[in-house]
Amino acid sequence: MVYNEGFDLNICAVGDISLAYYSNNNAICDDDVSKYLHNADLVLANMEYVVKDNYIRSEEICLVESPSSVKTLKDLGIEVVSLANNHIVDYGTEGLLCTKNTLEKYGIKYCGAGINEDEARKPVIIYKRGKTVAIFGRILDECFEEAAPIVARRDKFGAAKLTYEDIDECVRDYRSKADYMIMFVHWGMQLMNNHSNKMERVGEYLRKSGFDIVFGSHAHVIQGVSDAIYYGLGNFYFHPIPHNQFLGGLLYGPRYKRNRISEIAVVGLKDGKVGFSSLQMIYQDVDEIVKFLPNKYASKYVKNIFGKWSKFSLAYYQYEWRCRSVGLWLHNILVAVESYNTRTLLFLLTKGFVKLLIQIVNPKTLG
């Protein structure tokens, strides 16, 4: 497991990280993974929780932990995080400001969210080995049922919204100033290994417009990789979330293996060229430690990542997403029945059924 040789920069990116409910601040990965990350020239991640002093946990799925948890990210060698995700607004303006201040205290740069739209849209500018890298964070609002509370406005805090116009402006304003441009975008349907046509069109537009690399997050599982577009990196580390009203009481626990396997994207950059063939598979074991996936298992997942979805038609994409939506809904019902969770079952049979009908008839997320 070595980095690309002969490149000016070797950049690592990992997916979703949430240390909510993880209060001991111990290492979250073993020595092998830690050393691998520290050997990169630059490490990026999606920070999918906020930090706040004296917080009170909500009954909803709100991800928050104490500011001291950010030291764990620093110890991993993470230099830049994207805050462009749906949990950055979980604890209001106060949560966002505390998160920003804490990241600055630990020397970690951030992008993708701010107290208003202008601040949220600003990139992080990194200087490494004589090269300038501009890093942006965005959310694709069409992948969320209710994006309005998440998106930053002229006079409202939140995450920066990705549009074609926004892409054009980023390229116009920064392409001549940066040797390389990276977009970290929060998109996709959760627990779906496939990505939608809208995601593919936006990803290709980003590349053709001038972005060198696209890193994706939000689905919590691995998605396809094509032309330096990593549609979904999966969960790098998501501490199990106690939640009595959902799936029998636990989110992202050991029983959910799909969202405990992810990838470290390794990208080499040199003279405007991008090498993105190196991909390291990792998993979060039952002891809550991230480790490399043994090669015999990793090869199975790699076959389903590189280029697979480029062979499928528009009809297949939409059929696949609809079937997966139905399957996920039925799975949740089965778990609720097995756990005798009447409240969750009734919730799924009412609101969930209406949502299912909407997705079948005209699903907004399918693109």
Side-chain angles (χ1 to χ4, degrees), residues 17-55:
I17 297 180
S18 172
L19 299 180
Y21 299 92
Y22 187 79
S23 57
N24 58 19
N25 294 337
N26 291 334
I28 60 174
C29 58
D30 68 8
D31 289 342
D32 290 339
V33 174
S34 179
K35 289 177 182 177
Y36 192 84
L37 293 176
H38 278 89
N39 284 333
D41 297 308
L42 179 62
V43 181
L44 317 177
N46 171 50
M47 180 178 174
E48 198 155 0
Y49 74 106
V50 298
V51 298
K52 187 176 181 294
D53 291 305
N54 304 317
Y55 59 84

mmCIF file of all heavy atoms in Angstrom, residues 17-55:
data_model
loop_
_atom_site.group_PDB
_atom_site.id
_atom_site.type_symbol
_atom_site.label_atom_id
_atom_site.label_comp_id
_atom_site.label_asym_id
_atom_site.label_seq_id
_atom_site.Cartn_x
_atom_site.Cartn_y
_atom_site.Cartn_z
ATOM 1 N N ILE A 17 -17.228 11.440 8.780
ATOM 2 C CA ILE A 17 -16.731 11.238 10.135
ATOM 3 C C ILE A 17 -17.712 11.863 11.127
ATOM 4 O O ILE A 17 -18.046 13.043 11.014
ATOM 5 C CB ILE A 17 -15.348 11.877 10.350
ATOM 6 C CG1 ILE A 17 -14.300 11.225 9.436
ATOM 7 C CG2 ILE A 17 -14.921 11.750 11.806
ATOM 8 C CD1 ILE A 17 -12.919 11.818 9.595
ATOM 9 N N SER A 18 -18.173 11.073 12.083
ATOM 10 C CA SER A 18 -18.965 11.589 13.194
ATOM 11 C C SER A 18 -18.429 10.989 14.486
ATOM 12 O O SER A 18 -18.407 9.769 14.651
ATOM 13 C CB SER A 18 -20.444 11.240 13.052
ATOM 14 O OG SER A 18 -21.149 11.601 14.232
ATOM 15 N N LEU A 19 -17.999 11.856 15.380
ATOM 16 C CA LEU A 19 -17.537 11.429 16.698
ATOM 17 C C LEU A 19 -18.600 11.689 17.759
ATOM 18 O O LEU A 19 -18.316 11.629 18.960
ATOM 19 C CB LEU A 19 -16.237 12.145 17.068
ATOM 20 C CG LEU A 19 -15.050 11.886 16.139
ATOM 21 C CD1 LEU A 19 -13.822 12.649 16.608
ATOM 22 C CD2 LEU A 19 -14.743 10.402 16.043
ATOM 23 N N ALA A 20 -19.825 11.997 17.319
ATOM 24 C CA ALA A 20 -20.916 12.163 18.271
ATOM 25 C C ALA A 20 -21.098 10.870 19.064
ATOM 26 O O ALA A 20 -21.049 9.774 18.497
ATOM 27 C CB ALA A 20 -22.213 12.508 17.537
ATOM 28 N N TYR A 21 -21.283 10.988 20.348
ATOM 29 C CA TYR A 21 -21.414 9.873 21.289
ATOM 30 C C TYR A 21 -20.079 9.189 21.562
ATOM 31 O O TYR A 21 -20.034 8.194 22.276
ATOM 32 C CB TYR A 21 -22.434 8.833 20.809
ATOM 33 C CG TYR A 21 -23.819 9.375 20.654
ATOM 34 C CD1 TYR A 21 -24.250 9.880 19.437
ATOM 35 C CD2 TYR A 21 -24.705 9.396 21.729
ATOM 36 C CE1 TYR A 21 -25.529 10.394 19.295
ATOM 37 C CE2 TYR A 21 -25.978 9.906 21.596
ATOM 38 C CZ TYR A 21 -26.393 10.406 20.367
ATOM 39 O OH TYR A 21 -27.650 10.917 20.237
ATOM 40 N N TYR A 22 -18.999 9.704 20.975
ATOM 41 C CA TYR A 22 -17.674 9.115 21.210
ATOM 42 C C TYR A 22 -16.898 10.100 22.067
ATOM 43 O O TYR A 22 -16.337 11.073 21.569
ATOM 44 C CB TYR A 22 -16.965 8.881 19.880
ATOM 45 C CG TYR A 22 -15.658 8.126 19.995
ATOM 46 C CD1 TYR A 22 -15.653 6.744 20.146
ATOM 47 C CD2 TYR A 22 -14.444 8.792 19.950
ATOM 48 C CE1 TYR A 22 -14.468 6.047 20.242
ATOM 49 C CE2 TYR A 22 -13.242 8.103 20.045
ATOM 50 C CZ TYR A 22 -13.263 6.730 20.189
ATOM 51 O OH TYR A 22 -12.077 6.042 20.287
ATOM 52 N N SER A 23 -16.840 9.875 23.356
ATOM 53 C CA SER A 23 -16.352 10.896 24.282
ATOM 54 C C SER A 23 -14.991 10.612 24.896
ATOM 55 O O SER A 23 -14.482 11.412 25.677
ATOM 56 C CB SER A 23 -17.363 11.079 25.424
ATOM 57 O OG SER A 23 -17.592 9.848 26.093
ATOM 58 N N ASN A 24 -14.367 9.479 24.554
ATOM 59 C CA ASN A 24 -13.100 9.172 25.239
ATOM 60 C C ASN A 24 -11.863 9.703 24.522
ATOM 61 O O ASN A 24 -10.754 9.633 25.050
ATOM 62 C CB ASN A 24 -12.958 7.666 25.460
ATOM 63 C CG ASN A 24 -13.012 6.883 24.157
ATOM 64 O OD1 ASN A 24 -12.808 7.431 23.079
ATOM 65 N ND2 ASN A 24 -13.292 5.582 24.249
ATOM 66 N N ASN A 25 -12.039 10.216 23.287
ATOM 67 C CA ASN A 25 -10.951 10.853 22.546
ATOM 68 C C ASN A 25 -9.765 9.932 22.278
ATOM 69 O O ASN A 25 -8.637 10.391 22.078
ATOM 70 C CB ASN A 25 -10.448 12.111 23.266
ATOM 71 C CG ASN A 25 -11.486 13.212 23.303
ATOM 72 O OD1 ASN A 25 -12.389 13.234 22.473
ATOM 73 N ND2 ASN A 25 -11.368 14.107 24.250
ATOM 74 N N ASN A 26 -9.978 8.622 22.297
ATOM 75 C CA ASN A 26 -8.924 7.688 21.935
ATOM 76 C C ASN A 26 -8.768 7.642 20.420
ATOM 77 O O ASN A 26 -9.589 8.162 19.667
ATOM 78 C CB ASN A 26 -9.244 6.289 22.464
ATOM 79 C CG ASN A 26 -9.167 6.219 23.975
ATOM 80 O OD1 ASN A 26 -8.465 6.996 24.605
ATOM 81 N ND2 ASN A 26 -9.907 5.282 24.572
ATOM 82 N N ALA A 27 -7.711 6.980 19.949
ATOM 83 C CA ALA A 27 -7.504 6.824 18.514
ATOM 84 C C ALA A 27 -8.658 6.026 17.905
ATOM 85 O O ALA A 27 -9.139 5.060 18.500
ATOM 86 C CB ALA A 27 -6.184 6.117 18.254
ATOM 87 N N ILE A 28 -9.102 6.432 16.722
ATOM 88 C CA ILE A 28 -10.218 5.740 16.078
ATOM 89 C C ILE A 28 -9.759 4.801 14.972
ATOM 90 O O ILE A 28 -10.582 4.141 14.338
ATOM 91 C CB ILE A 28 -11.244 6.743 15.520
ATOM 92 C CG1 ILE A 28 -10.598 7.659 14.480
ATOM 93 C CG2 ILE A 28 -11.873 7.550 16.647
ATOM 94 C CD1 ILE A 28 -11.580 8.593 13.782
ATOM 95 N N CYS A 29 -8.449 4.740 14.726
ATOM 96 C CA CYS A 29 -7.942 3.796 13.727
ATOM 97 C C CYS A 29 -6.638 3.191 14.223
ATOM 98 O O CYS A 29 -5.980 3.724 15.123
ATOM 99 C CB CYS A 29 -7.760 4.464 12.371
ATOM 100 S SG CYS A 29 -6.648 5.874 12.369
ATOM 101 N N ASP A 30 -6.268 2.063 13.641
ATOM 102 C CA ASP A 30 -5.054 1.395 14.095
ATOM 103 C C ASP A 30 -3.811 2.087 13.524
ATOM 104 O O ASP A 30 -3.911 3.042 12.729
ATOM 105 C CB ASP A 30 -5.088 -0.092 13.746
ATOM 106 C CG ASP A 30 -5.018 -0.371 12.247
ATOM 107 O OD1 ASP A 30 -4.787 0.578 11.465
ATOM 108 O OD2 ASP A 30 -5.184 -1.537 11.865
ATOM 109 N N ASP A 31 -2.638 1.603 13.914
ATOM 110 C CA ASP A 31 -1.390 2.263 13.532
ATOM 111 C C ASP A 31 -1.176 2.255 12.020
ATOM 112 O O ASP A 31 -0.628 3.219 11.462
ATOM 113 C CB ASP A 31 -0.204 1.589 14.228
ATOM 114 C CG ASP A 31 -0.165 1.869 15.722
ATOM 115 O OD1 ASP A 31 -0.832 2.830 16.157
ATOM 116 O OD2 ASP A 31 0.522 1.115 16.448
ATOM 117 N N ASP A 32 -1.573 1.174 11.348
ATOM 118 C CA ASP A 32 -1.361 1.082 9.902
ATOM 119 C C ASP A 32 -2.117 2.173 9.149
ATOM 120 O O ASP A 32 -1.569 2.832 8.258
ATOM 121 C CB ASP A 32 -1.793 -0.294 9.388
ATOM 122 C CG ASP A 32 -0.858 -1.401 9.837
ATOM 123 O OD1 ASP A 32 0.300 -1.086 10.189
ATOM 124 O OD2 ASP A 32 -1.280 -2.570 9.846
ATOM 125 N N VAL A 33 -3.386 2.354 9.493
ATOM 126 C CA VAL A 33 -4.194 3.383 8.828
ATOM 127 C C VAL A 33 -3.674 4.769 9.197
ATOM 128 O O VAL A 33 -3.562 5.660 8.341
ATOM 129 C CB VAL A 33 -5.680 3.251 9.215
ATOM 130 C CG1 VAL A 33 -6.497 4.405 8.644
ATOM 131 C CG2 VAL A 33 -6.230 1.914 8.725
ATOM 132 N N SER A 34 -3.324 4.962 10.459
ATOM 133 C CA SER A 34 -2.816 6.255 10.911
ATOM 134 C C SER A 34 -1.529 6.640 10.180
ATOM 135 O O SER A 34 -1.378 7.774 9.701
ATOM 136 C CB SER A 34 -2.565 6.213 12.423
ATOM 137 O OG SER A 34 -2.058 7.444 12.879
ATOM 138 N N LYS A 35 -0.604 5.697 10.060
ATOM 139 C CA LYS A 35 0.660 5.971 9.368
ATOM 140 C C LYS A 35 0.413 6.264 7.893
ATOM 141 O O LYS A 35 1.080 7.127 7.297
ATOM 142 C CB LYS A 35 1.605 4.780 9.520
ATOM 143 C CG LYS A 35 2.151 4.606 10.936
ATOM 144 C CD LYS A 35 3.019 3.358 11.041
ATOM 145 C CE LYS A 35 3.526 3.162 12.462
ATOM 146 N NZ LYS A 35 4.329 1.916 12.609
ATOM 147 N N TYR A 36 -0.528 5.546 7.306
ATOM 148 C CA TYR A 36 -0.825 5.759 5.889
ATOM 149 C C TYR A 36 -1.319 7.183 5.649
ATOM 150 O O TYR A 36 -0.891 7.868 4.712
ATOM 151 C CB TYR A 36 -1.870 4.749 5.429
ATOM 152 C CG TYR A 36 -2.028 4.693 3.932
ATOM 153 C CD1 TYR A 36 -1.176 3.905 3.163
ATOM 154 C CD2 TYR A 36 -3.017 5.422 3.285
ATOM 155 C CE1 TYR A 36 -1.297 3.855 1.786
ATOM 156 C CE2 TYR A 36 -3.154 5.381 1.907
ATOM 157 C CZ TYR A 36 -2.290 4.595 1.164
ATOM 158 O OH TYR A 36 -2.409 4.559 -0.190
ATOM 159 N N LEU A 37 -2.214 7.648 6.502
ATOM 160 C CA LEU A 37 -2.732 9.001 6.361
ATOM 161 C C LEU A 37 -1.649 10.043 6.599
ATOM 162 O O LEU A 37 -1.580 11.057 5.886
ATOM 163 C CB LEU A 37 -3.897 9.217 7.327
ATOM 164 C CG LEU A 37 -5.168 8.408 7.063
ATOM 165 C CD1 LEU A 37 -6.211 8.658 8.151
ATOM 166 C CD2 LEU A 37 -5.753 8.732 5.691
ATOM 167 N N HIS A 38 -0.812 9.821 7.577
ATOM 168 C CA HIS A 38 0.228 10.795 7.896
ATOM 169 C C HIS A 38 1.290 10.894 6.803
ATOM 170 O O HIS A 38 2.013 11.897 6.731
ATOM 171 C CB HIS A 38 0.890 10.452 9.237
ATOM 172 C CG HIS A 38 0.129 10.937 10.425
ATOM 173 N ND1 HIS A 38 -0.845 10.182 11.040
ATOM 174 C CD2 HIS A 38 0.165 12.112 11.100
ATOM 175 C CE1 HIS A 38 -1.357 10.861 12.050
ATOM 176 N NE2 HIS A 38 -0.771 12.027 12.112
ATOM 177 N N ASN A 39 1.408 9.881 5.962
ATOM 178 C CA ASN A 39 2.393 9.923 4.882
ATOM 179 C C ASN A 39 1.903 10.708 3.670
ATOM 180 O O ASN A 39 2.687 10.972 2.752
ATOM 181 C CB ASN A 39 2.770 8.505 4.449
ATOM 182 C CG ASN A 39 3.701 7.827 5.436
ATOM 183 O OD1 ASN A 39 4.453 8.488 6.143
ATOM 184 N ND2 ASN A 39 3.650 6.501 5.494
ATOM 185 N N ALA A 40 0.646 11.079 3.651
ATOM 186 C CA ALA A 40 0.115 11.867 2.541
ATOM 187 C C ALA A 40 0.548 13.322 2.681
ATOM 188 O O ALA A 40 0.859 13.801 3.770
ATOM 189 C CB ALA A 40 -1.406 11.779 2.513
ATOM 190 N N ASP A 41 0.565 14.039 1.551
ATOM 191 C CA ASP A 41 0.880 15.462 1.590
ATOM 192 C C ASP A 41 -0.288 16.274 2.134
ATOM 193 O O ASP A 41 -0.095 17.335 2.730
ATOM 194 C CB ASP A 41 1.230 15.963 0.186
ATOM 195 C CG ASP A 41 2.477 15.294 -0.366
ATOM 196 O OD1 ASP A 41 3.509 15.302 0.338
ATOM 197 O OD2 ASP A 41 2.417 14.770 -1.490
ATOM 198 N N LEU A 42 -1.511 15.762 1.941
ATOM 199 C CA LEU A 42 -2.700 16.484 2.375
ATOM 200 C C LEU A 42 -3.823 15.475 2.599
ATOM 201 O O LEU A 42 -4.039 14.593 1.764
ATOM 202 C CB LEU A 42 -3.125 17.498 1.294
ATOM 203 C CG LEU A 42 -4.370 18.329 1.550
ATOM 204 C CD1 LEU A 42 -4.203 19.208 2.784
ATOM 205 C CD2 LEU A 42 -4.685 19.195 0.329
ATOM 206 N N VAL A 43 -4.535 15.605 3.715
ATOM 207 C CA VAL A 43 -5.638 14.701 4.042
ATOM 208 C C VAL A 43 -6.920 15.521 4.215
ATOM 209 O O VAL A 43 -6.949 16.494 4.975
ATOM 210 C CB VAL A 43 -5.366 13.892 5.322
ATOM 211 C CG1 VAL A 43 -6.533 12.941 5.609
ATOM 212 C CG2 VAL A 43 -4.062 13.100 5.189
ATOM 213 N N LEU A 44 -7.978 15.104 3.517
ATOM 214 C CA LEU A 44 -9.277 15.772 3.566
ATOM 215 C C LEU A 44 -10.327 14.825 4.136
ATOM 216 O O LEU A 44 -10.202 13.605 4.042
ATOM 217 C CB LEU A 44 -9.723 16.206 2.166
ATOM 218 C CG LEU A 44 -8.689 16.843 1.234
ATOM 219 C CD1 LEU A 44 -9.323 17.134 -0.116
ATOM 220 C CD2 LEU A 44 -8.137 18.107 1.847
ATOM 221 N N ALA A 45 -11.403 15.391 4.690
ATOM 222 C CA ALA A 45 -12.480 14.569 5.231
ATOM 223 C C ALA A 45 -13.774 15.373 5.265
ATOM 224 O O ALA A 45 -13.763 16.612 5.189
ATOM 225 C CB ALA A 45 -12.140 14.077 6.641
ATOM 226 N N ASN A 46 -14.886 14.651 5.384
ATOM 227 C CA ASN A 46 -16.182 15.279 5.622
ATOM 228 C C ASN A 46 -16.485 15.181 7.111
ATOM 229 O O ASN A 46 -16.669 14.092 7.646
ATOM 230 C CB ASN A 46 -17.283 14.576 4.824
ATOM 231 C CG ASN A 46 -18.670 15.079 5.216
ATOM 232 O OD1 ASN A 46 -18.911 16.280 5.258
ATOM 233 N ND2 ASN A 46 -19.577 14.164 5.529
ATOM 234 N N MET A 47 -16.535 16.319 7.789
ATOM 235 C CA MET A 47 -16.830 16.352 9.224
ATOM 236 C C MET A 47 -18.333 16.474 9.395
ATOM 237 O O MET A 47 -18.904 17.551 9.224
ATOM 238 C CB MET A 47 -16.115 17.521 9.895
ATOM 239 C CG MET A 47 -16.363 17.626 11.388
ATOM 240 S SD MET A 47 -15.428 19.008 12.121
ATOM 241 C CE MET A 47 -16.065 18.990 13.796
ATOM 242 N N GLU A 48 -18.973 15.357 9.757
ATOM 243 C CA GLU A 48 -20.438 15.342 9.782
ATOM 244 C C GLU A 48 -20.988 15.378 11.215
ATOM 245 O O GLU A 48 -21.837 14.575 11.604
ATOM 246 C CB GLU A 48 -20.984 14.127 9.018
ATOM 247 C CG GLU A 48 -22.438 14.305 8.663
ATOM 248 C CD GLU A 48 -22.862 13.487 7.455
ATOM 249 O OE1 GLU A 48 -22.027 12.774 6.886
ATOM 250 O OE2 GLU A 48 -24.040 13.578 7.078
ATOM 251 N N TYR A 49 -20.480 16.295 11.966
ATOM 252 C CA TYR A 49 -21.033 16.572 13.287
ATOM 253 C C TYR A 49 -20.552 17.950 13.705
ATOM 254 O O TYR A 49 -19.625 18.515 13.101
ATOM 255 C CB TYR A 49 -20.614 15.509 14.301
ATOM 256 C CG TYR A 49 -19.187 15.567 14.775
ATOM 257 C CD1 TYR A 49 -18.886 16.036 16.058
ATOM 258 C CD2 TYR A 49 -18.130 15.166 13.977
ATOM 259 C CE1 TYR A 49 -17.583 16.087 16.510
ATOM 260 C CE2 TYR A 49 -16.827 15.214 14.416
ATOM 261 C CZ TYR A 49 -16.553 15.677 15.687
ATOM 262 O OH TYR A 49 -15.257 15.736 16.128
ATOM 263 N N VAL A 50 -21.193 18.534 14.682
ATOM 264 C CA VAL A 50 -20.765 19.827 15.199
ATOM 265 C C VAL A 50 -20.234 19.639 16.610
ATOM 266 O O VAL A 50 -20.500 18.625 17.262
ATOM 267 C CB VAL A 50 -21.914 20.860 15.201
ATOM 268 C CG1 VAL A 50 -22.397 21.116 13.790
ATOM 269 C CG2 VAL A 50 -23.057 20.392 16.090
ATOM 270 N N VAL A 51 -19.476 20.614 17.078
ATOM 271 C CA VAL A 51 -19.002 20.589 18.455
ATOM 272 C C VAL A 51 -19.565 21.791 19.197
ATOM 273 O O VAL A 51 -19.765 22.856 18.610
ATOM 274 C CB VAL A 51 -17.453 20.582 18.534
ATOM 275 C CG1 VAL A 51 -16.906 19.332 17.874
ATOM 276 C CG2 VAL A 51 -16.855 21.827 17.898
ATOM 277 N N LYS A 52 -19.825 21.587 20.470
ATOM 278 C CA LYS A 52 -20.460 22.650 21.253
ATOM 279 C C LYS A 52 -20.228 22.392 22.738
ATOM 280 O O LYS A 52 -20.270 21.252 23.193
ATOM 281 C CB LYS A 52 -21.962 22.696 20.953
ATOM 282 C CG LYS A 52 -22.707 23.852 21.564
ATOM 283 C CD LYS A 52 -24.167 23.829 21.090
ATOM 284 C CE LYS A 52 -24.946 24.999 21.667
ATOM 285 N NZ LYS A 52 -25.076 24.905 23.134
ATOM 286 N N ASP A 53 -19.977 23.457 23.471
ATOM 287 C CA ASP A 53 -19.847 23.353 24.921
ATOM 288 C C ASP A 53 -21.233 23.247 25.554
ATOM 289 O O ASP A 53 -22.192 23.873 25.093
ATOM 290 C CB ASP A 53 -19.134 24.581 25.484
ATOM 291 C CG ASP A 53 -17.668 24.628 25.080
ATOM 292 O OD1 ASP A 53 -16.957 23.638 25.354
ATOM 293 O OD2 ASP A 53 -17.246 25.639 24.496
ATOM 294 N N ASN A 54 -21.332 22.451 26.602
ATOM 295 C CA ASN A 54 -22.568 22.376 27.399
ATOM 296 C C ASN A 54 -23.813 22.111 26.546
ATOM 297 O O ASN A 54 -24.841 22.763 26.694
ATOM 298 C CB ASN A 54 -22.762 23.676 28.190
ATOM 299 C CG ASN A 54 -21.571 23.991 29.077
ATOM 300 O OD1 ASN A 54 -21.037 23.095 29.740
ATOM 301 N ND2 ASN A 54 -21.152 25.246 29.083
ATOM 302 N N TYR A 55 -23.698 21.178 25.636
ATOM 303 C CA TYR A 55 -24.828 20.859 24.766
ATOM 304 C C TYR A 55 -25.809 19.918 25.466
ATOM 305 O O TYR A 55 -25.467 19.220 26.423
ATOM 306 C CB TYR A 55 -24.345 20.198 23.471
ATOM 307 C CG TYR A 55 -23.578 18.917 23.696
ATOM 308 C CD1 TYR A 55 -24.228 17.694 23.862
ATOM 309 C CD2 TYR A 55 -22.189 18.929 23.754
ATOM 310 C CE1 TYR A 55 -23.525 16.521 24.075
ATOM 311 C CE2 TYR A 55 -21.471 17.763 23.972
ATOM 312 C CZ TYR A 55 -22.144 16.566 24.129
ATOM 313 O OH TYR A 55 -21.444 15.409 24.350
#
